[in-house]
Amino acid sequence: MCGIVGYIGQKEATPVLINALKKLEYRGYDSAGIAVFDGEDIVVRKTKGALKFLEEKIADETIKGSLGIGHTRWATHGEPSDINAHPQTNVSGSIAIVHNGIIENYMELKSWLQAQGIVFRSQTDTEVIAHLVNYYYEQTNDIFSAIIKAIHKLEGSYALGVVCKDYPDRLIAARKESPLIIGLGQGENFIASDVPAVLEYTRDVYFLDQKELAVLYEDHVDLFTDEGEKIIKEPYHVDWDISSAEKGGFAHFMLKEIYEQPKALNDTLRPRLVKEGSRNVDIKFDEVEFGDDWKNAGRIVITACGTAYHAGAVAKYTFEKLARIPVVVDFASEFRYRNPILYKNDIFIVISQSGETADTLAALRLAKEAGARIIAITNCVGSTVSREADDVIYTWAGPEIAVASTKAYTTQLMCLCLLALKAAHLRGTIDDTEFRRLLDELETVPAKAQEILDNQADVQKFASRNFNKEKVFYIGRQFDSATSLECALKLKEVSYMHSEAFAAGELKHGPIALIDRMTLVVATATSRALFDKLKSNIVEVKSRGAATLVITQDKSGSFGDSADTVISIPETDESFISMLSIIPAQLFAYYCAVQRGNDPDKPRNLAKSVTVE
């Protein structure tokens, strides 16, 4: 859950490393550091806090050298501090390492190394790796062999960048579980945790697979297995527009990405619609085979974490309504430990924005061992999830930089809606006429998302009046109940306001005891058949002093006499409404965060890609 970068080439490494780290600061910001070989020694500079503090620290010195590594940290072992910041080194400082991941047996290794007389300076698991590499280097006098021997002793996850002063012509990288890419330049090469770090310099990358290593030189890169056997693979060409990884005039990435949702939804939808003239007639997934397994499926199992889990919670209603197939949605972190029951005719779907979520990967592998066919939904080409699944559906959302997910969530929902429609048509639970009607309606969703964004002023005003509430409860029924889970998560992630979500009918079974004048209740009301039920809930909380907001597609004024504020959104089929009803909640969370003086792009204690348990 940290960001690592590395450079070897002809440029001065320090500015390249700092610039690349800025693109990865969303992955970790407890501390930052660099290590650069200056021709004689490895110069290490690191500091607690955000990357800007490292920049200030090195502003008055010139660190020469064209080989280096860098790191932004999200602490797992040891509190954020200068000493615990990466890079970590061996005792002499001749070997420096940056690390993303968790070494599960680090205490055992640390005790063994201490018995060899090695004195540790930090509390990190990463320092163990530096000393372990040095231990084998002293035996072999070969840094590559030493790294291979060291990683065979490591249990857990790692993405590593290693430099050694005795080998100034190379940078070595290794990967297990945690993501790592190799950027291929002209007379220069790079390592990074994610593609945006290198887009300014190259668009050709290798995605390191499990237990692979790379040795980078100025003019070429060699790839190896963890047994030292050389391998060949084709580089991947990244066709993102580099501006999509920049703020583009917005105050924060989160706001920019909220506003990018109409385009992201359209990009995810349009290539999958099959048309005859101007008519939508079918859905085409080049990535998925639709055979008898879909027609005969007994149920769908969806597993994910966080925001992706919430997309699955909404999809449960969509699949069950349209395709009439039972759906089980499970937290990946729970699924892997509860001896789950799987059947041969299950459709197993995993959802992960990054494609590297540790718990989701573990659930995927467990299901695969049981013989399940895996469909992955992810935003990241070449990610571990995309490589290990049987079928992969990409959410073409482009890079998402803010830690709090917005456009990744709505494009996940778009993919799931398309899957549900395709399954329903295959299974005969909707006829051709209804299928085409729903396709036409789905095609209107991106434009309706834009309509919400064009009229967001009311949300901003409401946030300015309610950003200081002590408690925020999100309620809804059916689809809206599932959407409320994501509404509450967005608010707590970036504003640090206490927020919860639950089915509106559960309000009187306990939560209403917490309602007072410092409470805000947000009701999402998009099912016309349940409007009266929601109105009674709003009256219940309003009479007890709560402020109330309703997000609804109702145009008849049903809630005008009961709620303090009504945010109106365009109408669409309830199977698709969650892609629209979430947008005012995303905006509300963003504006509350700004009003409270928080950085919505980098919420405390959180990281973008959770690559550890």
Side-chain angles (χ1 to χ4, degrees):
M1 301 202 296
C2 307
I4 66 175
V5 298
Y7 175 79
I8 184 167
Q10 299 171 1
K11 298 186 180 82
E12 292 294 336
T14 299
V16 174
L17 296 173
I18 295 294
N19 189 44
L21 286 175
K22 287 179 179 177
K23 308 298 191 301
L24 296 181
E25 198 174 6
Y26 64 92
R27 296 181 67 94
Y29 36 87
D30 289 338
S31 58
I34 59 172
V36 176
F37 180 67
D38 69 358
E40 295 184 2
D41 297 299
I42 295 174
V43 178
V44 176
R45 297 290 183 267
K46 53 187 183 176
T47 187
K48 175 183 175 181
L51 183 61
K52 66 180 181 180
F53 297 116
L54 177 64
E55 290 187 272
E56 293 170 1
K57 186 171 186 174
I58 64 175
D60 296 329
E61 63 177 316
T62 301
I63 305 173
K64 292 287 187 180
S66 55
L67 167 66
I69 51 179
H71 191 270
T72 58
R73 181 172 184 247
W74 188 87
T76 55
H77 292 75
E79 65 181 6
S81 68
D82 291 3
I83 291 174
N84 288 333
H86 297 201
Q88 292 289 326
T89 69
N90 62 337
V91 174
S92 69
S94 62
I95 296 170
I97 288 179
V98 288
H99 166 223
N100 178 19
I102 286 181
I103 305 305
E104 294 172 355
N105 63 333
Y106 89 102
M107 284 302 298
E108 174 188 335
L109 292 170
K110 183 174 183 177
S111 297
W112 179 77
L113 288 164
Q114 287 173 325
Q116 312 303 311
I118 294 171
V119 177
F120 281 72
R121 290 166 290 193
S122 78
Q123 300 167 303
T124 67
D125 54 344
T126 303
E127 189 181 357
V128 167
I129 308 173
H131 294 310
L132 194 62
V133 170
N134 181 72
Y135 175 83
Y136 288 116
Y137 181 55
E138 290 177 345
Q139 292 183 349
T140 64
N141 204 34
D142 180 89
I143 190 62
F144 184 69
S145 297
I147 291 171
I148 286 182
K149 287 180 178 292
I151 62 178
H152 284 170
K153 295 289 185 182
L154 302 179
E155 297 175 8
S157 59
Y158 57 78
L160 302 175
V162 185
V163 293
C164 176
K165 67 176 290 185
D166 299 333
Y167 290 82
D169 65 335
R170 69 197 69 177
L171 164 62
I172 300 176
R175 185 250 168 155
K176 178 190 171 193
E177 306 291 352
S178 295
L180 194 64
I181 63 109
I182 310 298
L184 306 172
Q186 297 293 321
E188 59 185 4
N189 290 298
F190 310 80
I191 66 170
S193 297
D194 205 353
V195 171
V198 302
L199 274 182
E200 183 175 332
Y201 308 102
T202 181
R203 294 181 174 275
D204 296 313
V205 302
Y206 289 130
F207 294 101
L208 281 193
D209 286 320
Q210 283 286 71
K211 299 182 180 180
E212 287 184 353
L213 294 90
V215 182
L216 290 71
Y217 304 88
E218 278 189 13
D219 57 354
H220 72 284
V221 174
D222 293 328
L223 303 176
F224 300 88
T225 69
D226 67 345
E227 299 297 333
E229 298 173 358
K230 201 164 186 179
I231 56 177
I232 303 295
K233 64 170 65 179
E234 289 296 314
Y236 175 80
H237 183 75
V238 178
D239 56 7
W240 293 347
D241 180 352
I242 192 170
S243 65
S244 64
E246 303 293 344
K247 288 182 184 174
F250 286 88
H252 298 95
F253 280 113
M254 184 179 178
L255 186 60
K256 173 177 179 278
E257 289 157 9
I258 290 171
Y259 272 82
E260 286 175 339
Q261 286 177 115
K263 180 180 185 301
L265 287 166
N266 200 51
D267 290 347
T268 298
L269 170 66
R270 283 295 179 88
R272 284 147 176 160
L273 291 178
V274 178
K275 291 180 177 286
E276 288 181 357
S278 61
R279 295 174 65 230
N280 293 307
V281 297
D282 203 356
I283 296 167
K284 178 185 70 174
F285 281 107
D286 292 333
E287 316 97 321
V288 181
E289 288 186 23
F290 288 95
D292 290 341
D293 53 343
W294 278 91
K295 292 180 182 178
N296 302 325
R299 64 175 185 166
I300 292 172
V301 178
I302 301 175
T303 187
C305 299
T307 287
Y309 171 84
H310 297 158
V314 172
K316 172 182 172 68
Y317 289 98
T318 309
F319 275 105
E320 291 185 347
K321 178 189 175 188
L322 297 178
R324 305 306 298 158
I325 180 171
V327 179
V328 175
V329 187
D330 208 349
F331 291 106
S333 55
E334 291 291 305
F335 179 88
R336 61 186 296 195
Y337 293 117
R338 66 173 177 82
N339 193 19
I341 299 170
L342 294 171
Y343 302 103
K344 288 184 179 179
N345 63 345
D346 285 343
I347 300 290
F348 196 89
I349 300 174
V350 297
I351 312 171
S352 170
Q353 181 276 139
S354 68
E356 304 291 347
T357 311
D359 286 319
T360 304
L361 279 168
L364 180 157
R365 291 163 185 160
L366 183 62
K368 205 163 190 180
E369 287 174 9
R373 183 168 186 82
I374 312 297
I375 298 173
I377 297 176
T378 183
N379 194 41
C380 294
V381 175
S383 61
T384 305
V385 159
S386 70
R387 293 195 301 273
E388 295 192 13
D390 298 298
D391 300 308
V392 59
I393 299 172
Y394 289 111
T395 59
W396 290 316
E400 189 178 69
I401 306 302
V403 169
S405 181
T406 51
K407 63 178 179 172
Y409 172 74
T410 48
T411 52
Q412 286 165 2
L413 288 178
M414 179 63 80
C415 289
L416 289 161
C417 287
L418 285 165
L419 268 181
L421 275 171
K422 184 72 173 179
H425 199 220
L426 284 170
R427 294 165 65 87
T429 54
I430 57 174
D431 61 22
D432 288 348
T433 301
E434 179 67 0
F435 179 60
R436 291 172 182 174
R437 183 192 73 80
L438 289 170
L439 286 180
D440 291 344
E441 186 59 39
L442 190 60
E443 195 174 22
T444 69
V445 168
K448 290 174 179 175
Q450 185 62 56
E451 186 180 335
I452 295 171
L453 293 167
D454 290 342
N455 296 279
Q456 58 82 50
D458 288 342
V459 180
Q460 188 172 4
K461 290 176 184 175
F462 187 80
S464 70
R465 298 194 301 269
N466 291 277
F467 69 90
N468 59 349
K469 294 296 184 185
E470 293 177 356
K471 295 163 288 189
V472 182
F473 295 145
Y474 288 89
I475 61 173
R477 293 172 184 264
Q478 302 294 298
F479 284 91
D480 298 333
S481 176
T483 305
S484 293
L485 296 171
E486 178 63 9
C487 297
L489 178 63
K490 283 287 94 57
L491 186 66
K492 69 181 70 172
E493 279 182 317
V494 298
S495 74
Y496 317 145
M497 296 164 72
H498 178 81
S499 59
E500 294 184 40
F502 42 83
E506 294 300 298
L507 185 67
K508 57 186 172 292
H509 293 289
I512 200 167
L514 297 172
I515 302 296
D516 58 27
R517 62 183 182 81
M518 288 306 294
T519 306
L520 167 65
V521 175
V522 181
T524 305
T526 62
S527 176
R528 187 161 279 101
L530 296 170
F531 281 176
D532 288 342
K533 299 289 186 183
L534 261 296
K535 284 179 68 174
S536 67
N537 294 136
I538 294 165
V539 171
E540 285 174 342
V541 298
K542 192 172 174 60
S543 66
R544 289 162 175 82
T548 54
L549 167 68
V550 175
I551 299 169
T552 182
Q553 57 181 347
D554 173 56
K555 297 294 189 293
S556 65
S558 294
F559 298 97
D561 59 348
S562 55
D564 296 321
T565 303
V566 177
I567 301 294
S568 182
I569 61 175
E571 293 186 59
T572 190
D573 189 275
E574 70 174 359
S575 297
F576 313 142
I577 192 62
S578 295
M579 286 181 279
L580 301 180
S581 59
I582 188 61
I583 295 175
Q586 293 170 341
L587 289 164
F588 178 66
Y590 170 79
Y591 287 121
C592 283
V594 172
Q595 288 278 357
R596 293 165 70 91
N598 302 338
D599 183 346
D601 288 344
K602 304 168 191 173
R604 66 189 181 201
N605 304 330
L606 298 178
K608 183 66 176 173
S609 178
V610 184
T611 57
V612 296
E613 288 188 53

